[in-house]
Amino acid sequence: MGDTPSPGDPSGPLPSWREGYSPQELELLPILRSEVASMRGLDHQGADSNQGAEQRQQQHQLLPNHFLIRWLRARSHSVPRALQMLRAYYDWRDEHDFPACIDPEHYTTPAVVESDLTVRFLGEDDLHRPVIWAPVGRWHVRLLLEQGLKEQLVLFVYSLFQRVLDRIEQARTDHGVVQVVAILDMAELSWAKLSLDTLQSTTRFFREFEAYFPEIVCTVFVLNAPMVFTWVYNFVRPFMSAATVQKVRVFGWGEASRSEERRVGKECRSR
């Protein structure tokens, strides 16, 4: 399923949340894979034909279509720009030793961080997309930072990024789905929970998510947003791509319409 276009009109747009590739993308993916393989030292020169075939198979296993397509789409199908984005991603991985830095054998999230920064996966929506729910408004990020837990907070966020990737991989295997739906509940968010350090940390996470985990979110529902959220959103919005901004749906207290609620599956709506 991963290497063939989705059924239907091949000239029509494909939904970004489902695995499938347009003819243009099928043409560009091998080019990007070759460039990335060369950049990462996966390309061997002077190999015979059999070794060359084995090397191409290894490249495809390490750089599958469903991984490369995210970067290609994030840069409007420009191979040079996607390659530039991937180069920055690998530099970031090497700098932070990701994902080894959050390996359970070497890292455990402190209980105070785990209990405060609640995140739940609520199953799937009606289109089999994993749904993640986070009561962000109830988090006490400022307090955690003031307690000197900044590094632990960073590692927790990195572990969350990896958990989302793992859920997407399972959804891709089961249903051909490659994006998640996020529900962010802003109830109880207040000015007292904000500080310069809080805003700087929030900005950092948004920038890293945009730069190193592109095209993994289909829609973001922001619920019960108070006035202070508008100020925070305007602060971080410049660090979000236009494509990401278009995916965000913001609702004040109890404003989510029935049509929007129907976009989330029955199991998720009941939570």
Side-chain angles (χ1 to χ4, degrees):
M1 178 178 181
D3 296 332
T4 58
S6 295
D9 180 7
S11 63
L14 295 170
S16 60
W17 54 267
R18 181 169 294 284
E19 186 175 23
Y21 312 101
S22 69
Q24 178 195 21
E25 290 172 340
L26 288 173
E27 182 178 340
L28 294 176
L29 281 167
I31 300 174
L32 180 59
R33 177 178 296 107
S34 178
E35 294 287 345
V36 177
S38 179
M39 177 183 71
R40 296 298 291 175
L42 303 176
D43 216 6
H44 297 325
Q45 301 295 329
D48 60 34
S49 58
N50 290 332
Q51 289 175 326
E54 292 176 359
Q55 187 63 25
R56 285 192 296 273
Q57 183 178 10
Q58 178 190 16
Q59 290 176 8
H60 195 282
Q61 291 174 344
L62 294 175
L63 302 167
N65 283 353
H66 65 266
F67 170 75
L68 293 176
I69 195 63
R70 296 197 284 115
W71 312 89
L72 200 57
R73 290 173 177 170
R75 287 298 178 261
S76 302
H77 298 96
S78 168
V79 171
R81 293 175 62 205
L83 184 63
Q84 182 181 26
M85 193 179 190
L86 274 159
R87 184 176 290 109
Y89 164 72
Y90 283 117
D91 288 344
W92 174 84
R93 277 179 56 114
D94 294 341
E95 178 183 355
H96 295 280
D97 195 25
F98 181 86
C101 64
I102 55 171
D103 189 323
E105 293 186 5
H106 309 290
Y107 166 75
T108 302
T109 303
V112 64
V113 175
E114 188 77 39
S115 61
D116 188 87
L117 306 184
T118 304
V119 176
R120 296 178 183 172
F121 287 89
L122 304 182
E124 304 171 346
D125 71 358
D126 296 334
L127 299 173
H128 298 296
R129 296 173 300 195
V131 177
I132 181 173
W133 173 77
V136 178
R138 301 176 190 172
W139 291 358
H140 298 88
V141 176
R142 176 177 179 174
L143 182 60
L144 294 174
L145 291 171
E146 291 175 348
Q147 292 176 349
L149 295 171
K150 185 172 185 176
E151 183 60 30
Q152 290 84 349
L153 180 61
V154 169
L155 291 176
F156 171 82
V157 173
Y158 289 172
S159 68
L160 176 59
F161 289 166
Q162 185 60 50
R163 287 166 59 191
V164 172
L165 291 176
D166 292 343
R167 288 296 180 118
I168 290 176
E169 179 58 26
Q170 186 61 53
R172 187 188 70 83
T173 302
D174 294 343
H175 304 292
V177 170
V178 294
Q179 289 183 327
V180 300
V181 173
I183 303 174
L184 309 182
D185 189 347
M186 294 296 163
E188 300 183 29
L189 179 66
S190 67
W191 291 103
K193 293 182 176 180
L194 301 181
S195 67
L196 179 59
D197 202 6
T198 302
L199 292 173
Q200 289 176 338
S201 296
T202 301
T203 300
R204 170 185 174 174
F205 297 142
F206 268 101
R207 296 182 71 170
E208 291 184 331
F209 186 77
E210 280 283 320
Y212 311 129
F213 301 89
E215 294 296 316
I216 67 174
V217 174
C218 177
T219 307
V220 179
F221 293 99
V222 179
L223 306 182
N224 303 316
M227 185 177 298
V228 62
F229 170 79
T230 302
W231 188 88
V232 175
Y233 185 51
N234 288 336
F235 184 86
V236 301
R237 184 169 175 168
F239 303 101
M240 302 166 61
S241 68
T244 298
V245 170
Q246 291 178 354
K247 297 176 181 180
V248 179
R249 305 286 184 268
V250 181
F251 300 94
W253 186 267
E255 288 182 353
S257 67
R258 292 183 179 275
S259 61
E260 292 290 348
E261 290 178 356
R262 279 196 292 270
R263 296 186 61 181
V264 181
K266 183 182 299 183
E267 177 185 353
C268 304
R269 288 199 301 270
S270 65
R271 298 300 180 96

